[in-house]
Amino acid sequence: MIVDVVRRFNLTYTQRIGVLDDSFLGTGRPLAASRLLFEVGNDEGASVRVLRDRLDLDSGHLSRLLRRLEAEGLVATAPDEDDRRRRVVRLTPAGRTAYDDLERRSEDRAASLVAPLTARQQERLAEALATADLLVRAATVRLREVASDDPVARVATQRYFDELDARLPGGFDTGGPDAPEPGATYVVAMSDGEPVAYGGIRPVLDDETAEIKRMWVHDDWRGAGLGARMLRHLEALAVDQGYRRAVLDTNGTLVEAIAMYERSGYRRIERYNDNPYAEAFFEKEL
Amino acid sequence: MIVDVVRRFNLTYTQRIGVLDDSFLGTGRPLAASRLLFEVGNDEGASVRVLRDRLDLDSGHLSRLLRRLEAEGLVATAPDEDDRRRRVVRLTPAGRTAYDDLERRSEDRAASLVAPLTARQQERLAEALATADLLVRAATVRLREVASDDPVARVATQRYFDELDARLPGGFDTGGPDAPEPGATYVVAMSDGEPVAYGGIRPVLDDETAEIKRMWVHDDWRGAGLGARMLRHLEALAVDQGYRRAVLDTNGTLVEAIAMYERSGYRRIERYNDNPYAEAFFEKEL
DNA sequence: CAGATCCTCTGACTAAAGTCAGAGAATGAT
DNA sequence: ATCATTCTCTGACTTTAGTCAGAGGATCTG
């Protein structure tokens, strides 16, 4: 059923909205060149390498497209001062104008698409598309294991601490830099190169028990089921590693987290550590 | 606001779902050939002309693609018996197999896209996409004036009569073929080559009054605001033609229609004709 | 500081997409 | 019957897209 809806929507989309991509046409530039210009404008000072990954282009192909935009006077490239093998690409003033033109075309397209709808219908459409957007993004998030000193893991951890600090009544003190945790496994969920959820497991109490640590979901991603998905993923990892029980602690102010643990089959237990910030303790047989 | 949501979704879509089109890749055939094969399979016996319009291809380009599919033994072309300038294209058994393969790939893609979501999330996504689908389709419907003896108008009229016949307690009798109606204007809303809504105006009573006639919306399109849009369109036409008042009659069983007229500012009036099927009468100052 | 690796670039292609003119058969209008 | 029109096709292109090998400079590793 859902598959049919997705496919039907896909068809509608490519036939009707897909024409939005045509906003990149009619500029006298090939599509790939416009896409590149758009990407450079979005991420001012991106290196050629980043653009290549982002647009999934062959290095020769991209290089030629850059020469073309350069010849048109829209972008300028210069060596990256941090690593002179890399080259950074920037828009020239003329390039900025061309970029703004693309933006305007894209906006006009979107506006003319919804113009025939009443205000009420536009609201319904916006709501439906926002929901679809969130869920599609959530569905295409990739979970991957990271070392706890991986730069991405550090970013996620910092955000986790920041949130605790903001939400706990007395603030939160990390107590200095991370000590290495033998046997711990951390997982990050990435979307568009940004961490959107994070969590890990580590041995605790006895060798059959894993502790779920540092569960965090990006603000913009609440309600998309990412937390539950991360939790399932961590539980599966724990089973793979031979654990038979998961425990976790959390602060009483994190009510959505507590509700999510309860929905996921966790039961409250007695305090099992001396974490001063923890107020609620849970376990689940795996 | 809505514009931003549309654009954001557009980006998500092209980056994530858009890869659905890749189901046409990896078949050893160029994309255009796969699309053509898909189209031929969807509309068995389509003429080259129809395919050209549908896929928006240059006639030379299409012709070469057809030769290619023919050489692979996937399609066969033969002159159209009705007009031997035209040629109709059909799938061969091998072509049917290749088509089914494309279908399967497309389904698999859609299934794997939603696989990471929970059942509840899949439901939400299906609902959101179905809503978006309906509204996007509604937004891209084109209204155009037609003569009442235009084939499309006949189809729409017939569906209108069929529905009356099915819904009125005693059935509905057209009372023979249409008499010509001097001064009448009919409008049809088309989507994918099919009429999805219909309606017209004609002079009645005095030369300041237009009567709204034969308002009909396709079953699948109820709730998309098409009826209201058609009504607004007809009112605007009436104003252009110098009318200052619109009236209409309808049967009491057509409750959604009555609700729609009331929402659109129509007030109940006394019977103004002797239409035996009419039970409710409305007017609106334009 | 030597060798491996990374990054971007050019050369030399092939494949796919798209364009335009016009030929030849079939059909419609008068 | 004639002429204009319609439909599909082929020929003869150009432009985009995409691939692969390797050159040459910059940086990292031991």
Side-chain angles (χ1 to χ4, degrees), chain A residues 10 12-13 16 121 133 224, chain B residues 10 12-13 16 121 133 140 224:
Chain A
N10 196 35
T12 299
Y13 184 88
R16 328 264 178 138
Q121 288 176 312
D133 189 69
Chain B
N10 195 34
T12 298
Y13 183 90
R16 327 264 178 138
Q121 288 176 313
D133 188 70
T140 53

Side-chain angles (χ1 to χ4, degrees), chain A residues 2 7-8 10 12-13 16 20 103 106-107 113 116 121-122 124 126 128 133 137 139-140 191-192 223-225, chain B residues 2 5 7-8 10 12-13 16 20 103 106-107 113 116 121-122 124 126 128 133 137 139-140 191-192 223-225:
Chain A
I2 168 78
R7 292 187 63 207
R8 178 179 165 90
N10 196 35
T12 299
Y13 184 88
R16 328 264 178 138
L20 282 176
E103 277 271 310
S106 170
E107 267 178 36
L113 171 75
Q121 288 176 312
Q122 291 189 11
R124 276 181 65 205
D133 189 69
R137 284 168 170 272
T140 53
S191 180
D192 295 319
Chain B
I2 168 78
V5 175
R7 292 186 65 206
R8 179 180 164 89
N10 195 34
T12 298
Y13 183 90
R16 327 264 178 138
L20 282 175
E103 277 271 311
S106 170
E107 268 178 36
L113 172 75
Q121 288 176 313
Q122 291 189 13
R124 277 180 66 204
D133 188 70
R137 285 168 169 272
T140 53
S191 179
D192 295 319

Side-chain angles (χ1 to χ4, degrees), chain B residues 55-99:
Chain B
L55 296 168
D56 193 28
L57 289 173
D58 171 81
S59 100
H61 190 16
L62 174 56
S63 188
R64 259 173 276 265
L65 288 170
L66 280 172
R67 291 301 86 66
R68 181 180 178 134
L69 291 181
E70 253 175 358
E72 284 187 66
L74 302 178
V75 304
T77 57
D80 181 344
E81 286 312 315
D82 291 343
D83 179 343
R84 299 178 57 81
R85 287 173 302 183
R86 281 202 279 264
R87 313 199 68 198
V88 295
V89 187
R90 290 177 192 288
L91 292 183
T92 61
R96 174 60 56 190
T97 306
Y99 174 84

